[in-house]
């Protein structure tokens, strides 16, 4: 490259482009290396949910980070749409999580209350009994006894989000290089050198947002990143039906064209693709929720790999061994896109830009060089909250 960019992002999915866009907004010179085949890219088959409720149980820092992203999403959406010249992407009417027994409803209420308490009350939600729920969703089935609801949840078309991110990145001078598989990374005198099959790239800072490949790449800059592949899939009704569901839910969603999406399954797996059993369970759960959907026809499905971490939470790290290297990985790329662009990216560009970010993310690091033999077979990782350690098992 004739110029060494300030930041080189490895990965051109929703995570990578959100960070690239956010960094470019701060005036940084940014380039992106992307190897994904579009059909295999998890970002193109993302479940599209902006989902907060029930997530990050037992992890206050993660819950606060999701809550922060929701706060930033409307601002993020306006910025993207204004720059890309498109209509709004964000639909945020709130979301329902359905329960099928009194015990489930009670446990759900306890979970939501624990989450609210963990973030000092900044976590609005409602618990609805069957009568209150049916007043909002008349088509609800007889097996549903109640639900939780939060106004925080919503959805966005992941393909449109990716398109908007690409347009806005390019308008801000971000160069996206396709078919660039990074084979090795070296840190030499304050500059990173990345080799692909065709080129040698250099940058002052790097952000690894390469999904499953982060596990391999992070080791080059002194970090352990035990992410793994999950199977994910969803079944889509291509036949539109009359609008009846204006909210995203944990079992069924209705898209703008009237088609129905039955949830998404997650299974640990070495290969992409959802099993027939899990897909059948998704449909059955949807039919328990809205029995009238039994009259419609399933026409096609699609699957894509999903990225998991041992405790189910996204992971953010900054390398102590190689200062200037960062890794961002895990699920919830749509939910967290706003926080990645509006909060995390400015912090990566210049830590002094956000004191709050320094508190929540600044020391959320543990270099692999600090791991001692006595720690095996677990390695402590710090994620987001510098006062909290989360112990992950080291995967083979």
């Amino acid at each position: 490259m004739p110029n060494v960019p300030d930041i080189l992002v490895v990965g051109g999915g929703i995570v990578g482009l959100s960070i690239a866009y956010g960094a470019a907004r701060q005036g940084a010179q940014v380039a992106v290396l992307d190897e994904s085949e579009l059909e295999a890219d998890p970002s193109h088959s993302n479940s599209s949910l902006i989902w907060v409720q029930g997530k990050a149980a037992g992890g206050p820092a993660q819950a606060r980070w999701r809550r922060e992203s929701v706060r930033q999403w409307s601002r993020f959406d306006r910025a993207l749409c204004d720059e890309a010249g498109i209509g709004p992407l964000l639909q945020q009417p709130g979301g329902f999580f359905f329960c099928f027994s009194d015990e489930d409803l009670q446990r759900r209420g306890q979970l939501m209350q624990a989450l609210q308490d963990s973030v000092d009350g900044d976590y609005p939600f409602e618990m609805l009994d069957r009568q209150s729920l049916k007043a909002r969703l008349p088509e609800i089935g007889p097996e549903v006894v109640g639900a939780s609801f939060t106004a925080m949840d919503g959805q966005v078309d992941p393909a449109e989000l990716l398109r908007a991110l690409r347009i806005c990145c390019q308008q801000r001078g971000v160069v996206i290089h396709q078919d660039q598989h990074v084979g090795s990374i070296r840190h030499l005198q304050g500059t990173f050198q990345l080799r692909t099959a065709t080129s040698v790239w250099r940058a002052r800072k790097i952000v690894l947002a390469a999904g499953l490949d982060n596990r391999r790449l992070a080791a080059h800059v002194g970090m352990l990143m035990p992410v793994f592949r999950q199977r994910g899939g969803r079944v889509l009704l291509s036949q539109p039906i009359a609008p009846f569901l204006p909210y995203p839910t944990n079992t069924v969603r209705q898209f703008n064209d009237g088609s129905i999406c039955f949830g998404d399954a997650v299974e640990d797996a070495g290969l992409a693709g959802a099993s027939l059993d899990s897909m059948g369970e998704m449909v059955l759960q949807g039919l328990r929720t809205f029995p009238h959907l039994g009259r419609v026809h399933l026409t096609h499905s699609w699957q894509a790999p999903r990225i998991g971490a041992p405790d189910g939470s996204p992971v953010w790290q900054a390398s102590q061994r190689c200062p200037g290297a960062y890794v961002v990985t895990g699920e919830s790329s749509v939910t967290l896109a706003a926080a990645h662009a509006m909060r995390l990216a400015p912090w990566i560009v210049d830590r002094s830009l956000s004191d709050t970010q320094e508190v929540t993310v600044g020391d959320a690091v543990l270099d692999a060089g600090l791991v001692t033999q006595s720690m095996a077979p677990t390695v402590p990782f710090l994620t987001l909250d510098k006062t909290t350690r989360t112990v992950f098992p080291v995967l083979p």
Side-chain angles (χ1 to χ4, degrees):
M1 296 181 66
N3 299 312
V4 177
D6 300 315
I7 298 174
L8 188 61
V9 178
V10 181
I14 290 174
V15 174
L17 291 183
S18 296
I19 294 172
Y21 170 66
R25 279 172 55 90
Q26 299 298 320
Q29 183 182 359
V30 184
V32 176
L33 304 182
D34 187 27
E35 69 165 2
S36 298
E37 297 178 6
L38 296 184
E39 295 301 322
D41 186 352
S43 289
H44 285 262
S45 298
N46 192 286
S47 63
S48 77
L49 285 173
I50 298 170
W51 198 258
V52 179
Q53 66 164 305
K55 292 282 192 174
Q62 296 281 358
R64 286 195 296 269
W65 190 234
R66 285 177 179 273
R67 187 77 178 91
E68 173 63 15
S69 194
V70 168
R71 285 197 184 95
Q72 296 290 337
W73 242 105
S74 59
R75 176 184 167 213
F76 178 53
D77 185 52
R78 287 194 302 271
L80 282 178
C81 295
D82 288 348
E83 294 184 33
I86 60 176
L89 300 170
L90 176 64
Q91 300 175 29
Q92 199 169 18
F96 290 93
F97 185 100
F98 300 117
C99 299
F100 295 89
S101 71
D102 292 333
E103 293 76 14
D104 286 345
L105 188 63
Q106 182 180 9
R107 283 194 294 268
R108 183 68 180 178
Q110 292 170 346
L111 170 65
M112 299 297 287
Q113 187 61 57
L115 281 166
Q116 187 179 72
D117 294 342
S118 73
V119 293
D120 301 322
D122 187 19
Y123 199 92
F125 73 93
E126 299 176 65
M127 295 302 301
L128 305 172
D129 60 19
R130 176 172 174 78
Q131 183 177 356
S132 300
L133 178 60
K134 193 169 179 61
R136 299 197 196 185
L137 298 174
E139 301 284 353
I140 204 75
E143 293 188 62
V144 181
V145 302
S148 61
F149 173 83
T150 84
M152 300 181 286
D153 298 326
Q155 60 187 353
V156 63
D157 186 322
E160 288 299 301
L161 174 58
L162 268 175
R163 184 173 74 90
L165 282 168
R166 288 197 184 100
I167 293 172
C168 294
C169 280
Q170 291 167 353
Q171 288 180 346
R172 288 186 173 270
V174 178
V175 182
I176 302 173
H177 302 275
Q178 299 289 345
D179 301 319
Q180 294 295 311
H181 174 79
V182 176
S184 65
I185 304 173
R186 299 181 67 190
H187 189 223
L188 304 169
Q189 299 178 339
T191 300
F192 292 92
Q193 177 180 287
L194 291 76
R195 288 187 175 271
T196 69
T198 58
S199 306
V200 176
W201 307 87
R202 293 178 176 83
R204 297 176 182 88
K205 295 180 181 180
I206 61 171
V207 178
L208 304 180
L212 291 167
D213 210 23
N214 276 349
R215 181 170 176 165
R216 175 183 65 87
L217 294 173
H220 291 245
V221 288
M223 293 186 285
L224 296 176
M225 186 54 54
V227 293
F228 55 91
R229 185 185 295 269
Q230 294 177 319
R231 274 197 304 222
R234 53 180 179 161
V235 182
L236 179 69
L237 295 177
S238 63
Q239 279 185 319
I241 65 174
F244 79 99
L245 186 59
Y247 304 93
T249 81
N250 64 310
T251 60
V252 172
R253 282 176 292 133
Q254 186 168 33
F255 293 153
N256 288 337
D257 65 355
S259 59
I260 304 298
C261 172
F262 285 91
D264 59 341
V266 178
E267 306 172 58
D268 297 347
L271 299 173
S275 68
L276 290 176
D277 286 345
S278 67
M279 294 170 73
E281 289 171 3
M282 291 188 300
V283 173
L284 290 175
Q285 189 82 331
L287 295 182
R288 292 179 70 193
T289 311
F290 296 107
H292 74 284
L293 295 180
R295 299 191 297 269
V296 297
H297 297 284
L298 296 175
T299 57
H300 67 279
S301 67
W302 70 86
Q303 303 86 36
R306 293 184 59 162
I307 300 158
D311 73 344
S313 298
V315 180
W316 298 260
Q317 278 190 281
S319 176
Q320 291 183 351
R321 180 180 294 179
C322 303
Y326 303 84
V327 61
V328 183
T329 197
E331 53 93 43
S332 301
S333 62
V334 171
T335 300
L336 296 172
H340 288 160
M342 313 307 276
R343 295 295 303 279
L344 183 62
W347 177 82
I348 290 172
V349 173
D350 184 351
R351 295 190 183 193
S352 67
L353 291 176
S354 174
D355 294 337
T356 302
Q357 193 68 44
E358 186 75 20
V359 171
T360 56
V361 180
D363 293 336
V365 297
L366 182 70
D367 189 276
L370 301 179
V371 178
T372 65
Q373 187 173 3
S374 63
M375 291 180 183
T378 62
V379 175
F381 274 48
L382 298 179
T383 59
L384 290 180
D385 189 340
K386 60 181 173 183
T387 65
T388 303
R389 286 175 180 263
T390 301
V391 180
F392 292 157
V394 177
L395 304 180

